[in-house]
Amino acid sequence: MGVGPKWRIEMGVRSRLRFLGVAAVAIATLGQPTGRSGGIHAQVPPPGDTVPKDTVPHDSLTFRLDPVVVTATRTDATTSELAVAVSVVGRAHLVEQPARLLLDALVGEPGILIQQTTAGQGAAIVRALTGSHVLLMVDGVRLNNGTFRQGPSHYLATVDPETVERIEVVRGAASALYGSDAIGGVVNVITRRSANLLDPSERSAVQGSYTYDGATRGSRVRITGAAALPGVLRGLEVSGGGSYSTQGDLEPGGGNPRQEPTGFDHWGGDLRFDLRATPRLAFDLSLNRFEQESVPRYDRYVDFRSPSVPEGGFGRSARYVFDPQDRSLIRLRSRSLWNGSWLSSLSITVSYQNQTEGRSIQSQSVEDGVVVPSSRLEYRFDGVRSLAADVQAQALAADDSRSLTYGLEAWDNRTDSRGWVEDLTTGDRTPEYRLSGGVRVPTGRFPDDSRFRGLGAYALLDQKLREAVRLQVGGRWSGYWLSSRVGDEFGGDVHSRSTDLSGEVGLVWSALPDLDLRARFAQAFRAPNIYDLTLVGDVPGGVALPNPNIQPEQSYTLEAGATLRRGGSRLDLTAYRLRIDGLIDRVSGSFRGDTLFGPDSLRVLLVDNVGDATVHGLEASLTLPLPGEGTLRASAFLTRGDAKVVRDGELIEEPLSRVPPPTLSSRARWPLTFFDREAWIEYFMVAAGEQTRLGFRDELDSRIQEGGTPGYHVHSVRVGTQAHEAFSVTAGIENIFDELYRIHGSGIDGAGRHLYFRLDVRP
């Protein structure tokens, strides 16, 4: 069960050699630093850059000023100017807490639950929605492609957390600016550049980090370099680095044995160039590569409905491994300043992205109390090549009372899919294909050469109606086209076309000097994609088969919020109601009159527009000063989801699937002086109530135990210090009371009591 040790050793050696090569190139290219600093500071970026122009200090857990974000409006705006709720996690937060995966940094943010199907995968559930209902981006480039599933999508796990400067989460519909998928919200990852690495007086620097995680006995190493070359035109900045991580099997709480197999490796390399060609024209080019190797899907090895059952029951797979799980991105952007009344700045971005996912699957069954692995090994490989372009302009009023952001974007996704079945007794391999009009179409989980294209035109007006009132109105036209040779037995070729007009309107009112009120209405949608229309593959509870007749989902969000500031205290409250019409979900079905399908006789599940859904929620965050110059930050959210759907020809009401339980988190932090060095200590707690309201897919999902997910509370203590001007240390004890718990919908348990340690070095 799992990956052979010899093969894993060979792959590990290859990964280490790759990492050492990337690190050596970075150091040799960028050289040694000419200055010395005990911290990392950001330079002021060139005009028109989307990186905030103000350096935000991090002497506590919260920003003392409203952070500047770009995702909510596509241009720089402070959070107090926005009608939509936004969460921002900065670089210091990423460094000062354990983060096996990037999404670990979002734990404790209001309205967001981090689900993990495996130890090497993570998904953000935003306002009870995830997968193709939440848009994921890296530096403004869509990660979502035509193969994104309705359930948790783990692709942010292919972003190296060491490359990230901050994460911005728009909690609420954003299709008016971003088109399909942005129903629950948008998660945008902003990566680092030289200006985030160098002091203003420095010309070059090298830094490294080492992290140890006791829960997996794993570690991560990162080497980064940066250089500024002011003599190249108006200034050239170069930055890059490499990362390598190896994670062993996860040890859960409660004294339970390690969950085997859950270990995996990953490595990443990145390079970025920022060039100011003239005072009014700048370019940046970024290249990223990230690979995860041998990521096992633990919930298929065990039927783990109850976390209290050691080892769990026998799952349906003797082997289920993701390999490869890779992502490559090349992005080129130009930014220029203009003097026209309708054109103050212009940004043009083009990108190429390649995402690949391979799966090796061997089923198993229990015969007379004996586990019998299948003699068939199935392999599926699906790659998606994405080309995208975005032309965005902004017009600013001379008195700064109005801004108009408008643009065009287009993208094209194309699959590269294949698969085979291997007879383990003979070693013979049989390629898999679908017959379409007499033509053999290679297939993995999706037909080869399936194509999903999108085109959109958008605009957002931000207008001051008076000094204390701001109006934001946006709209977008979107068109989506899909073509695929699904196979004659599944309905033949599919040619789908969807168009939509999306809009939003919001008001922000500074009612009092310390009180801001906001209200917003937004319409969003999701176009059926390659996954919805063509998938033939195993899913929780059975096997999914295609349905070529799916229609787009439409959603309507109404939200209101308030921000109250008093001295060093701040309270943010948001209430919302989200409605989805034409909800796309799975229903029990049949294929050629049979409710079971395939050699393993799995239950047939079809994807269809099953009805409507509503989500109601409350989100709150509170920041308070504590005695001893400490800071308390707490957040909480309540979510309820309901659906009216047609099942077996009958209209019924049921809970919406994957709705998070009530969740509360708090961080209390104090500054310290340790041997004349600055230090800090932090107490962190997260608590969740039970979730017993289970939807249709929840009931089928072995990741959720019968009756629902129990509540839990987990406590941790962390400390950190600038031990020397050249290095800093962070350490902590996580899950102090060794709580056995599972985050709702996850395929692994939470980590038990363990130590973690991080060392950052900057010579």
Side-chain angles (χ1 to χ4, degrees):
M1 183 172 70
V3 180
K6 180 179 178 182
W7 189 85
R8 282 190 63 87
I9 290 172
E10 291 173 353
M11 294 301 292
V13 171
R14 284 168 49 197
S15 297
R16 287 166 173 82
L17 290 175
R18 289 190 190 116
F19 166 71
L20 292 174
V22 172
V25 169
I27 295 174
T29 302
L30 300 175
Q32 297 298 320
T34 58
R36 176 170 293 183
S37 171
I40 298 173
H41 304 281
Q43 292 178 324
V44 177
D49 201 344
T50 57
V51 176
K53 296 178 176 59
D54 298 316
T55 300
V56 182
H58 186 83
D59 53 356
S60 70
L61 282 173
T62 60
F63 295 105
R64 295 198 180 277
L65 302 176
D66 285 327
V68 178
V69 297
V70 299
T71 310
T73 61
R74 282 184 173 260
T75 57
D76 294 355
T78 63
T79 55
S80 62
E81 297 173 330
L82 301 175
V84 66
V86 177
S87 296
V88 184
V89 174
R91 175 67 186 173
H93 190 65
L94 283 161
V95 170
E96 295 174 356
Q97 72 168 19
R100 299 181 197 95
L101 303 174
L102 174 64
L103 284 170
D104 290 336
L106 294 179
V107 172
E109 292 297 315
I112 304 171
L113 181 77
I114 303 304
Q115 180 269 1
Q116 285 191 260
T117 293
T118 75
Q121 300 174 342
I125 298 178
V126 183
R127 292 187 172 178
L129 299 178
T130 188
S132 49
H133 286 117
V134 175
L135 178 61
L136 309 180
M137 299 193 299
V138 176
D139 290 328
V141 176
R142 294 175 65 104
L143 279 187
N144 291 45
N145 60 51
T147 66
F148 264 40
R149 59 186 65 91
Q150 302 132 8
S153 295
H154 53 256
Y155 300 103
L156 274 178
T158 62
V159 179
D160 185 352
E162 299 293 347
T163 67
V164 175
E165 179 63 21
R166 70 186 189 278
I167 307 172
E168 299 179 2
V169 183
V170 175
R171 308 195 312 270
S175 285
L177 286 178
Y178 296 104
S180 181
D181 300 5
I183 291 180
V186 179
V187 181
N188 190 17
V189 179
I190 311 297
T191 60
R192 313 200 79 193
R193 50 168 291 184
S194 293
N196 305 123
L197 299 165
L198 297 173
D199 287 333
S201 61
E202 286 185 312
R203 290 293 177 262
S204 62
V206 173
Q207 65 182 61
S209 66
Y210 171 80
T211 305
Y212 172 78
D213 182 356
T216 63
R217 300 175 186 169
S219 59
R220 181 171 67 233
V221 179
R222 168 74 180 181
I223 297 177
T224 305
L229 306 172
V232 179
L233 295 180
R234 294 281 178 166
L236 172 66
E237 298 175 350
V238 185
S239 60
S243 302
Y244 175 76
S245 175
T246 180
Q247 302 291 329
D249 294 326
L250 178 71
E251 183 176 359
N256 283 278
R258 290 187 178 271
Q259 297 185 334
E260 181 183 355
T262 51
F264 66 98
D265 297 336
H266 75 230
W267 73 272
D270 55 276
L271 190 61
R272 174 164 174 157
F273 302 88
D274 288 270
L275 174 67
R276 181 183 288 191
T278 73
R280 305 181 68 83
L281 177 63
F283 298 90
D284 61 81
L285 171 66
S286 58
L287 303 93
N288 294 272
R289 172 70 175 171
F290 193 86
E291 292 189 12
Q292 288 186 315
E293 297 172 342
S294 305
V295 180
R297 180 164 178 176
Y298 180 67
D299 69 305
R300 294 303 173 89
Y301 290 86
V302 296
D303 185 5
F304 209 67
R305 285 187 175 270
S306 175
S308 62
V309 178
E311 305 291 345
F314 293 110
R316 57 194 250 198
S317 297
R319 174 186 174 92
Y320 200 119
V321 176
F322 292 90
D323 190 276
Q325 192 165 276
D326 305 340
R327 184 181 64 86
S328 300
L329 172 64
I330 303 174
R331 186 195 71 145
L332 175 63
R333 179 180 61 165
S334 69
R335 293 155 292 137
S336 55
L337 300 179
W338 300 74
N339 294 322
S341 58
W342 286 93
L343 184 60
S344 302
S345 65
L346 178 67
S347 173
I348 302 174
T349 304
V350 293
S351 65
Y352 170 78
Q353 187 167 218
N354 188 28
Q355 296 166 279
T356 60
E357 181 178 271
R359 302 184 186 210
S360 297
I361 306 171
Q362 179 186 10
S363 62
Q364 66 182 10
S365 59
V366 179
E367 300 178 8
D368 298 326
V370 179
V371 179
V372 180
S374 170
S375 61
R376 302 170 71 253
L377 176 66
E378 301 176 9
Y379 182 77
R380 308 281 186 271
F381 175 90
D382 295 286
V384 182
R385 301 186 299 270
S386 303
L387 287 170
D390 182 20
V391 179
Q392 178 177 302
Q394 185 179 35
L396 297 173
D399 60 357
D400 200 31
S401 63
R402 180 182 68 254
S403 71
L404 176 66
T405 303
Y406 57 98
L408 294 168
E409 68 173 354
W411 46 262
D412 187 350
N413 301 160
R414 190 187 293 267
T415 63
D416 174 18
S417 298
R418 58 187 178 272
W420 64 78
V421 176
E422 179 179 350
D423 187 329
L424 296 176
T425 59
T426 65
D428 295 335
R429 288 184 176 180
T430 304
E432 293 204 320
Y433 57 87
R434 303 183 193 179
L435 283 174
S436 184
V439 177
R440 291 187 175 188
V441 179
T443 182
R445 285 166 66 82
F446 314 102
D448 186 46
D449 205 33
S450 297
R451 195 172 183 186
F452 189 42
R453 294 170 291 165
L455 177 67
Y458 58 87
L460 177 71
L461 174 67
D462 188 343
Q463 174 74 56
K464 281 186 178 180
L465 300 181
R466 58 182 65 180
E467 189 61 32
V469 181
R470 182 182 295 269
L471 172 69
Q472 293 165 353
V473 181
R476 178 189 177 104
W477 175 87
S478 299
Y480 296 89
W481 297 266
L482 185 149
S483 60
S484 179
R485 311 203 75 175
V486 177
D488 296 335
E489 63 179 333
F490 300 115
D493 295 354
V494 171
H495 299 280
S496 173
R497 180 176 183 268
S498 304
T499 59
D500 184 75
L501 289 173
S502 305
E504 66 176 62
V505 57
L507 279 173
V508 182
W509 176 30
S510 297
L512 297 170
D514 294 330
L515 176 64
D516 295 331
L517 302 176
R518 59 185 184 275
R520 181 173 181 262
F521 174 79
Q523 182 270 329
F525 89 113
R526 183 176 84 81
N529 59 18
I530 295 171
Y531 181 94
D532 300 317
L533 299 173
T534 75
L535 173 69
V536 176
D538 63 295
V539 295
V543 59
L545 298 182
N547 178 3
N549 301 314
I550 302 172
Q551 299 300 310
E553 294 174 302
Q554 300 284 341
S555 78
Y556 308 89
T557 299
L558 182 63
E559 61 183 287
T563 299
L564 176 63
R565 294 175 292 270
R566 287 288 175 88
S569 302
R570 175 174 176 143
L571 174 65
D572 288 280
L573 296 172
T574 303
Y576 66 89
R577 181 183 188 274
L578 164 66
R579 176 184 171 89
I580 300 177
D581 292 341
L583 175 69
I584 297 176
D585 201 354
R586 296 190 187 116
V587 294
S588 299
S590 63
F591 179 74
R592 295 179 175 175
D594 194 344
T595 58
L596 302 178
F597 179 86
D600 297 321
S601 297
L602 298 177
R603 178 181 182 179
V604 173
L605 298 171
L606 298 178
V607 178
D608 205 349
N609 301 97
V610 299
D612 305 324
T614 56
V615 181
H616 299 83
L618 293 172
E619 301 164 346
S621 63
L622 174 66
T623 302
L624 291 172
L626 295 175
E629 300 183 356
T631 303
L632 171 69
R633 184 188 180 211
S635 67
F637 62 92
L638 297 170
T639 314
R640 181 184 174 95
D642 297 281
K644 293 182 179 180
V645 301
V646 176
R647 299 199 187 278
D648 300 323
E650 182 180 353
L651 180 65
I652 64 172
E653 296 186 15
E654 64 182 25
L656 188 66
S657 296
R658 295 193 181 88
V659 176
T663 303
L664 169 68
S665 68
S666 64
R667 302 175 187 270
R669 175 167 170 150
W670 289 269
L672 299 173
T673 301
F674 184 74
F675 290 106
D676 296 326
R677 294 287 180 180
E678 293 183 358
W680 53 267
I681 185 169
E682 173 185 284
Y683 161 77
F684 174 68
M685 182 276 294
V686 60
E690 64 178 8
Q691 180 54 286
T692 57
R693 301 188 75 248
L694 304 182
F696 175 77
R697 285 207 268 182
D698 294 336
E699 297 282 4
L700 297 176
D701 197 339
S702 63
R703 292 171 293 190
I704 300 174
Q705 69 184 77
E706 295 180 6
T709 303
Y712 58 86
H713 52 90
V714 179
H715 306 262
S716 304
V717 174
R718 303 160 184 168
V719 296
T721 181
Q722 189 72 46
H724 185 272
E725 63 179 2
F727 64 87
S728 60
V729 177
T730 305
I733 303 176
E734 302 293 303
N735 194 358
I736 295 173
F737 302 109
D738 202 30
E739 177 95 349
L740 175 63
Y741 71 101
R742 174 171 293 195
I743 296 173
H744 184 59
S746 292
I748 57 171
D749 288 329
R753 180 172 54 241
H754 66 280
L755 298 173
Y756 92 95
F757 170 85
R758 179 181 174 109
L759 174 66
D760 287 273
V761 180
R762 191 176 190 210

